[in-house]
C-alpha cells in the first residue's frame, strides 16, 4: 500500500467507505460484508483496478480504518492506493477525499467518485465516465427511470412526473479535478454560511450548483448500491452463469491414473487421446458450458494429433484464457468423482490444491467428493471412472 505522493497519475478514484450501513441490518460496515468469497470492497476495487484509473483514495470511518487497512494490505491491487478518514456525512467524506487526492496525487486531472457499496460496476462504465469527463468536464452514470414517478403529499398523489426526463443517478461520477474541487470548496465556504452545512448525496448536484453542467453517461441497471438486506440477495442472479460437465473414461493397464492433475497410485489408468484426466475434462466442460463456448471436443478434438497424450491441466489453462477474454471469473467448482477403485479420499486434498493453483481461486471455492456405484454398471465393475461437475462463473 502506498502512502507517499505520486506524480504523473492523472485518473484517480475516490472510493467512499465511511458509511455506517444501518439500513442493511448488518452489525458491521457493509463494504466488509462477504459477497461470495470476497468482501464488497474487494469486488469494487477489482473493477476499478481493471479500468483506466491510475490510483485510489479509499475514504474510511475512524472505527473501520484498522479493519479496512488490514484488508487492503492483503489485496493484489496493481495501482497505488492511499487511505484517508471520512466525516460524519457523505459531503464531509468527499471533501476529505478530494483534499487527500490533491496531496497524494498532485497531477490528478480526472477524479472518479464512487460509492464503495456499488460492487457490480463494470470497468468499461468507469472508463466511459472518465472519457466523458475529459471531453465535457463530467461523466455521471445514470439509467432511465422505468417506473412511473408520482409526487405525493401526505399519502395523496398530487402529480405525475414525465418519466422520459427522469434518470436514476449512479456512481462513479467523474469530473475534471479542478472543477469538482472548486465546487466542493464553494459548498464549504459559501453554502455553509448561507444554508448551514448541507449534506449532498450526489456529487453532480454540487457540480451543478457551482455553475457547471453535469453530463449523463448511460449506466447499468445491475450497478446497484447495496442498501437494504434484500440487495444482498440479488447478486447471486446478477452476471452469474451456471455450467455442468460430465466425462467418463475406461480403466486400462499400462496407463497412469491422473485426476485433477495429480497422479494417483493404482495398477490401472484411464484410456484416452490425451492423458484422460476425467475430472479435469469434466471441469473444462462445465466452465465452457457456463460461458456458452461449446464443449472440449470442439476446442480440443481427439482427431487432432496435437492433443495426443496432452496434459489436461495445460488444456484447462487454455480454457481459462478463453473465459478471461470474456471477463468471466470462476466463483466455485463442485465435483463428484465416481470410482469403485481406488479409494480416493486420501487424495482429495492434493487434487483440490492442484486445481486451486491452476484456477487461481481459493481451495474453499472447490468442493470434490468421491463415491462408488455399489458394484453396479461399468463404474461399479471397476471398468471405468466418471466425473460430474457444476461450475458457477461471474462476470
Amino acid at each position: 500500500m502506498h502512502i507517499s505522493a505520486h506524480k504523473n497519475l492523472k485518473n484517480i478514484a475516490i472510493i467512499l467507505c465511511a458509511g455506517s450501513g444501518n439500513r442493511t441490518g448488518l452489525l458491521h460496515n457493509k463494504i466488509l460484508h462477504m459477497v461470495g468469497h470476497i468482501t464488497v470492497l474487494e469486488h469494487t476495487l477489482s473493477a476499478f483496478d481493471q479500468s483506466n484509473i491510475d490510483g485510489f483514495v479509499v475514504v474510511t470511518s475512524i472505527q473501520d480504518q484498522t479493519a479496512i487497512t488490514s484488508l487492503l494490505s492483503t489485496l493484489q491491487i496493481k495501482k497505488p492506493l492511499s487511505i484517508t478518514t471520512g466525516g460524519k456525512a457523505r459531503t464531509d467524506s468527499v471533501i476529505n477525499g478530494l483534499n487527500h487526492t490533491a496531496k497524494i496525487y498532485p497531477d490528478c486531472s480526472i477524479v472518479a467518485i464512487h460509492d464503495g457499496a456499488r460492487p457490480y460496476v463494470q470497468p468499461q462504465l468507469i472508463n466511459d465516465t472518465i472519457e466523458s469527463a475529459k471531453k465535457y468536464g463530467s461523466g455521471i452514470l445514470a439509467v432511465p427511470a422505468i417506473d412511473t414517478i408520482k409526487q405525493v403529499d401526505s399519502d395523496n398523489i398530487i402529480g405525475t412526473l414525465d418519466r422520459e426526463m427522469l434518470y436514476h443517478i449512479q456512481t462513479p461520477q467523474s469530473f475534471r479535478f479542478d472543477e469538482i474541487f472548486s465546487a466542493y470548496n464553494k459548498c464549504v465556504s459559501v453554502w455553509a454560511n448561507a444554508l448551514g452545512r448541507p449534506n449532498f448525496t450526489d456529487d453532480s448536484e454540487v457540480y451543478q450548483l457551482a455553475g457547471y453542467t453535469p453530463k449523463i453517461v448511460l449506466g447499468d441497471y445491475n450497478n446497484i448500491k447495496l442498501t437494504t438486506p434484500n440487495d444482498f440477495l440479488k447478486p447471486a442472479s446478477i452476471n452469474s452463469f451456471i455450467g455442468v460437465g460430465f466425462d467418463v473414461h475406461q480403466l486400462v493397464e499400462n496407463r497412469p491414473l491422473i485426476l485433477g492433475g495429480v497422479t494417483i497410485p493404482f495398477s490401472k489408468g484411464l484410456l484416452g487421446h490425451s492423458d484422460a484426466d476425467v475430472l479435469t475434462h469434466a471441469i473444462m466442460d462445465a466452465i465452457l458450458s457456463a460461458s456458452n463456448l461449446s464443449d472440449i471436443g470442439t476446442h480440443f478434438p481427439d482427431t487432432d494429433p496435437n492433443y495426443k497424450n496432452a496434459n489436461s491441466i495445460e488444456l484447462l489453462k487454455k480454457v481459462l484464457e478463453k473465459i478471461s477474454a470474456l471477463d468471466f471469473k470462476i466463483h466455485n467448482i463442485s465435483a463428484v468423482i465416481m470410482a469403485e477403485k481406488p479409494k480416493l479420499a486420501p487424495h482429495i486434498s492434493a487434487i483440490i490444491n492442484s486445481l486451486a493453483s491452476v484456477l487461481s481461486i481459493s481451495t474453499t471455492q472447490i468442493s470434490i467428493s468421491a463415491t462408488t456405484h455399489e458394484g453396479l454398471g461399468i463404474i461399479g465393475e471397476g471398468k471405468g471412472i466418471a466425473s460430474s461437475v457444476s461450475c458457477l462463473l461471474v462476470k
Side-chain angles (χ1 to χ4, degrees):
M1 194 180 306
H2 304 267
I3 57 175
S4 58
H6 296 270
K7 295 184 178 181
N8 300 318
L9 300 182
K10 305 294 186 181
N11 305 326
I12 305 302
I14 295 176
I15 310 296
L16 302 173
C17 304
S20 61
N22 291 332
R23 286 177 289 177
T24 62
L26 299 172
L27 299 179
H28 54 268
N29 191 328
K30 58 192 172 184
I31 60 111
L32 295 173
H33 191 69
M34 301 295 287
V35 174
H37 294 272
I38 62 175
T39 63
V40 170
L41 179 56
E42 289 173 81
H43 281 287
T44 301
L45 291 177
S46 176
F48 276 82
D49 203 35
Q50 297 174 61
S51 74
N52 293 335
I53 285 296
D54 298 318
F56 296 93
V57 169
V58 175
V59 184
T60 76
S61 62
I62 293 176
Q63 58 267 33
D64 292 325
Q65 193 163 56
T66 298
I68 291 176
T69 300
S70 177
L71 171 64
L72 294 177
S73 68
T74 67
L75 303 186
Q76 301 295 318
I77 300 297
K78 300 187 292 290
K79 298 166 184 178
L81 188 152
S82 185
I83 297 176
T84 191
T85 304
K88 291 183 178 180
R90 187 183 189 278
T91 297
D92 302 310
S93 293
V94 174
I95 291 170
N96 287 0
L98 290 169
N99 286 331
H100 193 75
T101 299
K103 177 181 177 181
I104 299 297
Y105 304 104
D107 296 324
C108 173
S109 58
I110 300 294
V111 63
I113 304 173
H114 186 68
D115 299 320
R118 288 187 189 269
Y120 303 111
V121 65
Q122 296 298 312
Q124 185 56 54
L125 291 180
I126 300 168
N127 293 342
D128 290 345
T129 67
I130 292 172
E131 292 308 308
S132 178
K134 290 178 179 178
K135 186 174 182 179
Y136 301 107
S138 62
I140 315 299
L141 275 191
V143 291
I146 296 174
D147 300 318
T148 297
I149 309 296
K150 298 287 187 178
Q151 289 178 294
V152 177
D153 183 17
S154 300
D155 297 329
N156 297 315
I157 294 176
I158 60 174
T160 302
L161 302 179
D162 184 358
R163 186 172 61 188
E164 297 300 318
M165 299 182 66
L166 299 177
Y167 279 72
H168 295 285
I169 297 298
Q170 302 177 335
T171 66
Q173 299 185 15
S174 294
F175 306 90
R176 291 179 185 142
F177 180 80
D178 57 344
E179 293 178 357
I180 193 66
F181 195 36
S182 170
Y184 266 103
N185 281 331
K186 288 184 179 179
C187 167
V188 175
S189 63
V190 178
W191 304 327
N193 292 335
L195 307 173
R197 187 153 185 175
N199 178 38
F200 295 99
T201 60
D202 169 51
D203 307 299
S204 67
E205 182 181 5
V206 176
Y207 189 72
Q208 185 176 22
L209 287 171
Y212 302 106
T213 302
K215 183 75 172 179
I216 288 293
V217 173
L218 186 61
D220 181 350
Y221 290 101
N222 288 334
N223 182 24
I224 62 171
K225 184 179 181 182
L226 303 180
T227 304
T228 68
N230 284 340
D231 292 332
F232 288 90
L233 302 178
K234 296 176 182 178
S237 62
I238 294 176
N239 293 330
S240 299
F241 303 84
I242 297 174
V244 294
F246 179 84
D247 197 28
V248 59
H249 282 275
Q250 180 184 356
L251 277 168
V252 296
E253 295 181 351
N254 300 317
R255 289 273 295 187
L257 177 56
I258 301 172
L259 296 173
V262 175
T263 300
I264 309 297
F266 192 52
S267 59
K268 295 181 180 180
L270 294 170
L271 180 64
H273 185 65
S274 64
D275 61 9
D277 184 339
V278 68
L279 173 59
T280 301
H281 290 183
I283 290 173
M284 287 192 287
D285 262 340
I287 294 172
L288 291 168
S289 169
S291 54
N292 197 26
L293 289 176
S294 191
D295 55 33
I296 59 174
T298 301
H299 297 277
F300 314 110
D302 59 11
T303 56
D304 190 334
N306 290 323
Y307 302 120
K308 179 68 173 176
N309 297 319
N311 183 333
S312 294
I313 291 296
E314 295 303 315
L315 301 183
L316 175 58
K317 292 177 181 178
K318 293 181 182 294
V319 170
L320 297 177
E321 291 174 359
K322 294 177 186 294
I323 67 166
S324 177
L326 298 175
D327 292 328
F328 283 113
K329 290 184 178 181
I330 295 173
H331 186 276
N332 74 289
I333 296 285
S334 180
V336 178
I337 306 172
M338 292 158 271
E340 203 69 20
K341 293 181 180 180
K343 296 299 182 183
L344 296 176
H347 308 289
I348 295 297
S349 179
I351 293 172
I352 289 175
N353 287 331
S354 169
L355 290 170
S357 176
V358 176
L359 298 172
S360 298
I361 59 177
S362 166
T363 56
T364 61
Q365 293 170 264
I366 303 175
S367 172
I368 298 177
S369 60
T371 186
T372 68
H373 274 201
E374 300 293 338
L376 301 176
I378 62 170
I379 305 299
E381 293 170 2
K383 296 179 179 179
I385 295 179
S387 181
S388 178
V389 174
S390 61
C391 168
L392 180 65
L393 298 185
V394 294
K395 269 209 170 186

